[in-house]
Structures are given as structure tokens and as C-alpha cells.
Amino acid sequence: MSSSGDAQDAAARVAALESELEATLEAAVRREALNAQTIKREALNGAGALEARELRSRVDVLYQENDVLTAQARLSADELERLRQERAGGVEDQMRLVGEVGELRAHVA
């Protein structure tokens, strides 16, 4: 029963991490969109070259942050999948041992 509870806990952790990563990525995308709008608005309003460079620099930083967050999300998903498979392998081993113990009991009886 504890392995079932562990699997449920792992699934809940996976869901929570996926939700958190999705929210973080959505926030980064929203920031990028807002900065892109700001750049367009400033460009249309005749912003100076210095301000345009600064805004472009900020957008570049946001793209870099997005790349980092995306890479972290992939790494987390890969690690969670590895842990899930590891846990599934442990459950299979446990089931095999239970079967072997049952066979030994039947043989001894």
C-alpha cells in the first residue's frame, strides 16, 4: 500500500512541478509580449536610439531567461520521468518477489 501512496505522492509532485513550470513560462512569455509592445510603442512615438537599444537589450535578456526556463522545464520533466520509471521498476521487482514468496509457501506447504 505504501508504494501506491508513494506513486500517488510522486504523481502529485510531478503535477505540481509541471503546473509551476507552466506558470513560470507563461509569465515569461507575458513579460516578453509586454516588452515587445513597449518597444513598438516607443519606436512609434519616436523614442531615441539609446532607449530603443535599452529596450532591445531587455528583450534579449527576457529571451535568455525564457531559454533557461525552457531548459530547466525539460530537465525537470526528464528527471521526473526517470524517477517514475525507477519507481515503476521497483514496484515490478516487489511484485515479482511477492510472487516468488507465494510460490515458496505453496511448495513448502
Side-chain angles (χ1 to χ4, degrees), residues 18-34 66 69-70 73:
E18 287 175 347
S19 176
E20 183 180 336
L21 288 170
E22 183 176 286
T24 302
L25 287 172
E26 287 176 0
V29 168
R30 280 193 301 272
R31 280 192 314 242
E32 286 183 46
L34 287 173
N66 188 45
L69 289 172
T70 301

Side-chain angles (χ1 to χ4, degrees), residues 31-32 35 57-67:
R31 280 192 314 242
E32 286 183 46
N35 280 335
S57 174
R58 289 180 185 180
V59 169
D60 290 341
V61 168
L62 288 173
Y63 278 122
Q64 291 170 2
E65 287 176 359
N66 188 45
D67 290 343

